[in-house]
Amino acid sequence: MVPMVGCSVLGPEHTAREPGEPPEYRSSVTEIAWTWEPPGDLRDVRLREMDEGIAVLTADGVHALSGESGEELWSYRDRGQSLVSEVTDSGEHVVLYDKDTSRTTLMEMATGRVAHEFESDLSGVEYTREHEPFHLESALRGISGETWIVRWEDSVSSYELSTGEPLWSVPNVPDCSDAGQVDSLTVQTDVVVAATTCFEQPEGEESVAWTVGQDFTSELVGLSPDTGEELWRVEHSIGRMPHESLERTISSRPGGLVHIDFHYRGIGDSLLDIKDGAAIHLDTGELVWTSPDGTGLGVWDTETGQYRIEDLSGNVERVLERQVVPMKENMVVEGHRVGLEEGVLYLEDWMEDASDPEGFARFEGLEDSVVLTWDDAVGLSVINAISVPGAVAVAYVADGQAGVMGLR
């Protein structure tokens, strides 16, 4: 029996537990193993990986599910409240922010226990890309313990979360002579990595950020989380115009890697090794799988549809050629992709009938292929899908009801 603690008297419904043994990642999938629906009439769920499965973020809280069984491990739900929620870049905490009360709750990802609670208004901060629909969620990822590290237009600053008092600030991180900004930030235990872009903007003219062939410089800058001291700086200018660099995002991967996602078809992704500051560009490849130790990569070629398993030096170990005939074109090009060690899972973005024999999803493996159908749902919209310990977790809306399914 897993020890649980809980409370629900005139406040949030909350359960916690002791951590268990993390299951193995799936190398392939063949079936729908379990489904889970959030309590209440919720139509929006977001998925984040945790050691034993999935953290499901909802409008009123978070539910941690086992990847193997879909069993609820712990939960925190504040009914009637609208919470901004995110998982920190380190993966150690879930952050729940109540805009009405300015209460910030940090919960241990492994146990569901409340680690810290603060009252500090975070919603008024003007983040670099304020036009983003989830700019506050992005900023919450920079919380680490009792500090909050956030990017501004051209600087990075650290604050004491409980008081809002500044701890350090690094101005002009992009080090530009003209226009530039901090594009994205990932806050790790030992280093804060900032992606920056600089370009020449003629005075009095419209922005040249969308001009193909316009010169620009992209860099990745490592800062100390404790002091803001610059640890290293690497130039990595990829793209056809400044806007493609300005829009890229960075996130952590196993083995001390940072994934650089350009979000534009044909450019390809990049990786940065924070240990030696070396950047690797994947040409037209999209990074869709990383081995647990960071030494193996699963790269899906955006031009050919080829899937290859390779190491950090680019040595290809195995190749899966795209099977054009049995695959629906819109599933491959417009749907969702999840890379696994033995192949790629493709999922339709939307289907009128999930029981259709052609399937709402297909696993194209190095050894075999499997079509997945779902007789219990008619209309099915796939919101997101990620590989987690024990399963591939899929967030969906089926016949108007949000839910999560685990594929094994």
Side-chain angles (χ1 to χ4, degrees):
M1 180 69 69
V2 178
M4 305 284 289
V5 296
C7 59
S8 59
V9 180
L10 299 178
E13 299 176 358
H14 179 207
T15 62
R17 42 90 75 175
E18 294 298 326
E21 190 70 24
E24 297 290 329
Y25 287 87
R26 300 294 303 180
S27 60
S28 63
V29 295
T30 59
E31 63 177 353
I32 301 173
W34 52 263
T35 60
W36 176 88
E37 292 183 357
D41 186 23
L42 297 173
R43 295 176 180 268
D44 180 36
V45 297
R46 293 181 294 128
L47 307 181
R48 298 293 183 266
E49 180 183 348
M50 58 179 293
D51 284 348
E52 293 179 62
I54 320 101
V56 184
L57 308 180
T58 67
D60 62 2
V62 57
H63 301 262
L65 307 180
S66 162
E68 288 191 314
S69 66
E71 173 192 4
E72 191 166 286
L73 303 176
W74 59 262
S75 66
Y76 182 101
R77 186 181 180 218
D78 200 347
R79 288 181 295 179
Q81 297 299 109
S82 180
L83 303 177
V84 181
S85 56
E86 190 51 275
V87 173
T88 60
D89 284 335
S90 66
E92 295 178 357
H93 295 99
V94 181
V95 185
L96 304 175
Y97 176 64
D98 188 332
K99 287 195 258 188
D100 293 333
T101 64
S102 297
R103 187 181 76 239
T104 301
T105 304
L106 271 71
M107 308 183 66
E108 296 175 354
M109 180 71 100
T111 67
R113 291 190 175 89
V114 174
H116 305 283
E117 281 191 303
F118 305 105
E119 287 192 12
S120 183
D121 186 4
L122 309 182
S123 60
V125 176
E126 297 178 358
Y127 309 108
T128 299
R129 293 161 62 186
E130 196 173 345
H131 62 276
E132 285 185 336
F134 304 111
H135 66 275
L136 185 51
E137 283 91 334
S138 298
L140 295 181
R141 291 199 291 266
I143 290 177
S144 179
E146 299 184 7
T147 63
W148 183 37
I149 299 176
V150 66
R151 61 191 170 95
W152 301 75
E153 184 172 357
D154 63 355
S155 65
V156 176
S157 298
S158 176
Y159 301 90
E160 186 176 349
L161 193 59
S162 59
T163 64
E165 292 296 318
L167 298 174
W168 53 259
S169 182
V170 181
N172 195 27
V173 176
D175 195 18
C176 300
S177 60
D178 201 341
Q181 71 174 38
V182 178
D183 312 317
S184 185
L185 199 71
T186 179
V187 179
Q188 305 302 314
T189 303
D190 299 322
V191 65
V192 176
V193 182
T196 70
T197 301
C198 297
F199 61 97
E200 298 294 327
Q201 173 60 48
E203 187 175 352
E205 296 185 15
E206 293 185 1
S207 174
V208 298
W210 290 89
T211 303
V212 175
Q214 177 70 35
D215 288 339
F216 65 91
T217 301
S218 300
E219 291 186 321
L220 298 156
V221 185
L223 306 172
S224 166
D226 299 323
T227 64
E229 175 190 1
E230 184 174 317
L231 303 177
W232 44 259
R233 182 180 291 260
V234 180
E235 182 180 349
H236 187 63
S237 301
I238 300 292
R240 299 158 294 187
M241 54 185 167
H243 184 78
E244 291 172 336
S245 177
L246 294 166
E247 288 292 296
R248 76 198 193 284
T249 56
I250 59 176
S251 57
S252 64
R253 288 293 184 271
L257 300 176
V258 170
H259 176 210
I260 306 160
D261 189 344
F262 287 90
H263 305 289
Y264 285 90
R265 187 177 177 85
I267 295 180
D269 293 349
S270 295
L271 281 168
L272 173 76
D273 189 332
I274 61 175
K275 295 188 294 295
D276 56 18
I280 306 165
H281 187 55
L282 301 176
D283 296 322
T284 57
E286 176 185 326
L287 182 69
V288 293
W289 174 78
T290 310
S291 65
D293 62 1
T295 60
L297 309 177
V299 180
W300 189 82
D301 193 296
T302 59
E303 292 188 351
T304 66
Q306 182 190 77
Y307 182 60
R308 58 185 186 269
I309 303 296
E310 59 185 54
D311 62 22
L312 291 173
S313 299
N315 299 314
V316 178
E317 300 175 2
R318 288 174 293 171
V319 176
L320 172 65
E321 299 290 348
R322 175 180 165 188
Q323 303 298 312
V324 179
V325 176
M327 298 286 284
K328 292 185 287 185
E329 180 69 19
N330 60 334
M331 182 188 291
V332 174
V333 177
E334 301 176 3
H336 301 265
R337 282 183 297 276
V338 180
L340 302 175
E341 188 174 7
E342 296 295 332
V344 184
L345 174 68
Y346 299 91
L347 301 106
E348 283 276 23
D349 186 59
W350 158 253
M351 281 197 73
E352 289 188 16
D353 184 0
S355 65
D356 188 298
E358 291 190 352
F360 72 91
R362 181 185 181 94
F363 176 71
E364 194 71 21
L366 293 162
E367 301 297 332
D368 53 16
S369 300
V370 177
V371 173
L372 299 176
T373 61
W374 192 18
D375 293 336
D376 292 341
V378 180
L380 178 67
S381 178
V382 173
I383 308 304
N384 190 21
I386 60 173
S387 175
V388 300
V392 172
V394 181
Y396 65 84
V397 176
D399 305 329
Q401 173 64 49
V404 179
M405 69 173 71
L407 305 183
R408 290 206 309 258

